[in-house]
Amino acid sequence: MSEPNALFSETILLLGGAVVSAPIFKRLGLGTVLGYLAAGVVIGPIFHGLTDGDQILAVAELGVVFLLFIIGLELKPSRLWQMRRDIFGLGSAQVLLTGALLSLVAWLTGVLDWRGCIIAGFGLALSSTAFAMQILDDEGDVNTRYGQRSFSMLLFQDLAIVPLLALINILDTGKGHGAPVLDFAIAIGAVGAMIIMGRYLLTPLFQIIARTGAREAMIAAALFVVMGSASLMQLAGLSMAMGAFLSGVMLAESSYRHELEADIEPFRGVLLAIFFIAVGLSLQLPVLWDNALLIVIAVPVVMIAKGLVIYAISRIAGSSHDDAIRIAFLLPQGGEFGFVLFSAAGAAGLMPPSTASLLIAIVTMSMALTPIGTMISKRLLTGDKQEEQLDEDFEGAGADVLMIGFSRFGQISAQILLAGGRAVTVIDTSADRIRQASSFGFRIYFGDGTRKDVLRAAGVDHAKIVVICTQKREVTDKIVELVQDEYRHAKLFVRSYDRIHSIALRNRNVDYELRETLESGLLFGRRTLEALGVSEVDAYEIGEDIRRRDEQRLVLQSSEGLQAGRDMLFSQPVKPEPLVKPKRAAGFEDDPLSGTAEVTADA
């Protein structure tokens, strides 16, 4: 078979394996990652349909590169700076403690000398970014607290590959010609160059291409930036994934980031699936069979040791029991960088090639067991309930008003709009809320309003007003940013979380914002005054005065800070003056100097 035909046949096998395995394993509740691994084992080691798993793996690693780029797009430099303690604190603690523990275990087995034990221990301390992030993505947990802490550890591991490769040169006393200090300086210089290019070149580049209106050029530019930055980092001795991540972070504040994410996402998904299949293809069944007993013992020992260390340091760092359990069961596997490290150690003579192959087999088996481990971890959780997911079906969507979040606030607002004869498209992420709404005759669409593709499917391009009634401030802010960046034609009406959130939304120039409790609190206070004997007219005027004061304070606070306008608050009951003849019965006189209202009553 000619080479082009062979390439064509291999591509069909890989894509066919992904198409068949993913839905089956997803349906069984085992996750797509395990399905891709199984497909690779069946295609390669069992039926020998493909044999060059390592070559395919090298190409498919672009899936990991694209994944890190998309993650970088979600993390602005300010957010990354906020994560610095988790990255360099938790991340360094995990690598050092896990590496030391596993090095000790390797030394106790007597298989390697002390130099090989160090490389084996620290190589096994690294986890798989591809596996962990894919599982987080499947579960929708990338932006959760435990998801961010897991990513922080993975990010530090990507950084750690440079000193670990340098460590091989240091330990290789017979062949060592490396210059670790120079390698480190080159790596730092490459990171600095990436930051400078990202700040001054990338956004102008996309501005120029966007003016042409050529969508295919934008896609090509996105691929060029990701692969170019990845190659630059690889030349500097860092991982390709690190370069892609940095370029994503540099573009996180760009107005083109949502477009870039949409362009890269299909490539990321397909290549990442092929990466997992390639891991299954590269599994060496003869090595597993010849060393079955050792592998059966070593794999759980490595995973348990890593899991215990990760759980302990996560708890010490303040994570809840449930979050620490999730992280510990998410990151116990070996990583793809272990392949590189063990191969380099074998070539340098720090361990026999057979031992390097055995360690690679242990890493691969630990990867295969990780999806099963994450399912087991759910049985150990004490308080968190996993939310049900529904299929996204937007047939019939599209109206002048797109409402995101069908909370109590949103339900009441929707009643007003429907009573006014206006159609409303409502999307929500709660399966229970959608089911309850349908029992009352409402048609609510299941979808995540923070996703550009969901908004587009729900008809945001034709909506005149986007109403955001979500219940979490961070979710609301993310949707506001997305709509303002991509759909500026639509007005933004936003339910705010509290007063501070209202001020922040005003500074973002939303068209209208309202605290959920403001109107209900005003009405409640009025009814209470009436129950105490105040007339309905007077209670209404008092309420309107408080409303005006609240608005004036918000305006001042938006420009001068939270403490502005304190003199407009009532901290004591307003005292009537019964001996003074009133100018009007039971009325109010605003004192422009003091900013308070003076109550007058009949003498």
Side-chain angles (χ1 to χ4, degrees):
M1 185 180 294
S2 64
E3 185 175 343
N5 288 336
L7 179 62
F8 186 75
S9 301
E10 290 175 356
T11 303
I12 289 178
L13 274 176
L14 291 171
L15 295 177
V19 168
V20 173
S21 63
I24 292 176
F25 276 73
K26 187 74 171 179
R27 186 72 174 175
L28 294 174
L30 299 176
T32 56
V33 173
L34 198 58
Y36 297 140
L37 279 174
V41 172
V42 170
I43 293 172
I46 294 180
F47 290 110
H48 304 288
L50 289 173
T51 55
D52 53 348
D54 292 338
Q55 184 177 353
I56 295 173
L57 190 64
V59 176
E61 280 182 0
L62 284 174
V64 184
V65 170
F66 291 152
L67 172 66
L68 267 292
F69 176 74
I70 290 176
I71 293 171
L73 285 175
E74 297 293 331
L75 284 174
K76 295 182 179 180
S78 57
R79 175 62 181 149
L80 196 61
W81 179 251
Q82 292 174 358
M83 294 169 60
R84 66 189 184 280
R85 292 184 179 178
D86 283 347
I87 295 171
F88 295 101
L90 273 178
S92 61
Q94 185 272 322
V95 171
L96 293 174
L97 293 177
T98 307
L101 178 60
L102 293 177
S103 296
L104 177 62
V105 171
W107 183 75
L108 292 175
T109 63
V111 176
L112 296 166
D113 64 11
W114 67 271
R115 298 178 303 162
C117 289
I118 291 175
I119 298 300
F122 280 88
L124 292 172
L126 305 179
S127 303
S128 173
T129 300
F131 271 76
M133 295 310 300
Q134 182 65 35
I135 291 171
L136 285 173
D137 190 50
D138 286 346
E139 298 289 335
D141 290 340
V142 173
N143 292 316
T144 61
R145 179 59 178 155
Y146 96 88
Q148 292 292 289
R149 285 204 150 171
S150 301
F151 175 69
S152 297
M153 294 186 195
L154 292 168
L155 187 57
F156 184 85
Q157 291 174 11
D158 284 351
L159 293 170
I161 191 64
V162 176
L164 288 177
L165 287 172
L167 184 61
I168 292 178
N169 287 330
I170 295 172
L171 296 176
D172 181 18
T173 54
K175 300 180 182 178
H177 300 290
V181 176
L182 179 60
D183 292 342
F184 183 76
I186 292 174
I188 293 296
V191 171
M194 273 294 306
I195 293 174
I196 293 172
M197 286 190 292
R199 189 174 184 85
Y200 297 106
L201 295 181
L202 292 187
T203 298
L205 170 66
F206 286 108
Q207 287 175 342
I208 293 171
I209 297 174
R211 292 193 191 102
T212 67
R215 177 163 176 76
E216 66 277 7
M218 284 291 288
I219 297 175
L223 293 173
F224 173 78
V225 167
V226 177
M227 298 177 69
S229 57
S231 299
L232 176 63
M233 290 295 105
Q234 188 180 43
L235 289 173
L238 284 165
S239 68
M240 294 178 69
M242 176 58 63
F245 173 75
L246 285 176
S247 64
V249 171
M250 291 302 101
L251 287 167
E253 293 182 331
S254 168
S255 57
Y256 301 98
R257 70 184 184 90
H258 299 296
E259 192 71 29
L260 291 171
E261 184 175 352
D263 291 340
I264 292 294
E265 181 63 32
F267 298 97
R268 191 275 302 179
V270 173
L271 287 171
L272 205 56
I274 294 176
F275 171 82
F276 296 127
I277 293 176
V279 171
L281 286 172
S282 61
L283 197 63
Q284 299 178 9
L285 294 185
V287 174
L288 296 180
W289 182 256
D290 294 340
N291 301 275
L293 180 60
L294 180 58
I295 291 174
V296 166
I297 296 173
V299 171
V301 166
V302 169
M303 297 182 75
I304 291 171
K306 288 183 71 172
L308 290 174
V309 171
I310 293 171
Y311 177 85
I313 63 175
S314 296
R315 291 289 281 161
I316 292 171
S319 292
S320 65
H321 166 77
D322 284 3
D323 278 359
I325 284 289
R326 291 187 180 103
I327 299 171
F329 277 82
L330 181 69
L331 304 179
Q333 78 289 119
E336 49 271 7
F337 293 130
F339 299 155
V340 178
L341 202 63
F342 299 141
S343 298
L350 294 179
M351 59 179 65
S354 59
T355 304
S357 298
L358 180 61
L359 288 170
I360 291 173
I362 291 172
V363 168
T364 307
M365 285 301 298
S366 68
M367 287 180 173
L369 292 176
T370 298
I372 299 174
T374 56
M375 288 187 288
I376 295 173
S377 71
K378 295 177 182 179
R379 298 181 177 272
L380 303 178
L381 304 181
T382 57
D384 293 340
K385 180 181 178 182
Q386 297 296 316
E387 288 192 356
E388 181 183 355
Q389 298 287 307
L390 299 178
D391 291 333
E392 294 178 354
D393 178 13
F394 294 98
E395 183 179 356
D400 286 346
V401 178
L402 172 60
M403 179 176 288
I404 304 170
F406 202 55
S407 60
R408 296 166 301 181
F409 187 90
Q411 291 166 26
I412 297 170
S413 301
Q415 284 291 291
I416 299 291
L417 293 167
L418 294 171
R422 298 294 182 176
V424 185
T425 297
V426 184
I427 61 175
D428 200 289
T429 56
S430 170
D432 290 336
R433 194 176 296 130
I434 291 172
R435 192 175 291 110
Q436 291 169 4
S438 64
S439 67
F440 290 94
F442 288 97
R443 173 68 190 275
I444 312 297
Y445 299 94
F446 179 81
D448 182 358
T450 63
R451 288 169 45 193
K452 182 179 177 180
D453 58 327
V454 169
L455 293 182
R456 183 172 292 171
V460 70
D461 290 313
H462 308 291
K464 296 178 180 177
I465 299 177
V466 175
V467 177
I468 305 175
C469 299
T470 53
Q471 294 177 303
K472 293 183 178 180
R473 173 175 177 170
E474 58 273 17
V475 175
T476 297
D477 290 343
K478 189 171 183 179
I479 299 172
V480 167
E481 181 183 3
L482 175 58
V483 174
Q484 287 184 329
D485 285 348
E486 300 293 335
Y487 308 105
R488 298 179 182 178
H489 68 278
K491 292 183 177 180
L492 268 174
F493 280 45
V494 187
R495 173 257 193 198
S496 71
Y497 179 75
D498 54 21
R499 190 175 197 85
I500 297 175
H501 194 200
S502 285
I503 296 171
L505 289 170
R506 290 189 174 208
N507 290 333
R508 286 175 176 262
N509 297 317
V510 301
D511 296 280
Y512 182 73
E513 55 74 30
L514 182 67
R515 305 193 301 284
E516 180 176 27
T517 55
L518 177 62
E519 295 297 329
S520 55
L522 289 172
L523 179 60
F524 193 88
R526 282 168 46 195
R527 293 291 183 257
T528 307
L529 276 179
E530 292 170 18
L532 292 171
V534 178
S535 71
E536 184 176 345
V537 173
D538 289 343
Y540 175 80
E541 289 184 358
I542 292 172
E544 289 303 297
D545 179 65
I546 296 300
R547 188 199 305 276
R548 286 191 296 270
R549 290 170 181 273
D550 184 83
E551 175 62 26
Q552 290 166 7
R553 286 181 60 225
L554 276 175
V555 172
L556 288 174
Q557 290 172 323
S558 295
S559 58
E560 300 177 18
L562 196 59
Q563 295 299 316
R566 291 181 61 185
D567 59 322
M568 305 176 72
L569 290 170
F570 289 110
S571 58
Q572 296 291 333
V574 176
K575 296 180 180 180
E577 299 180 1
L579 298 178
V580 178
K581 186 176 180 179
K583 296 181 179 179
R584 59 185 176 86
F588 281 85
E589 293 179 354
D590 289 335
D591 182 351
L593 297 179
S594 64
T596 60
E598 180 179 273
V599 177
T600 59
D602 290 331

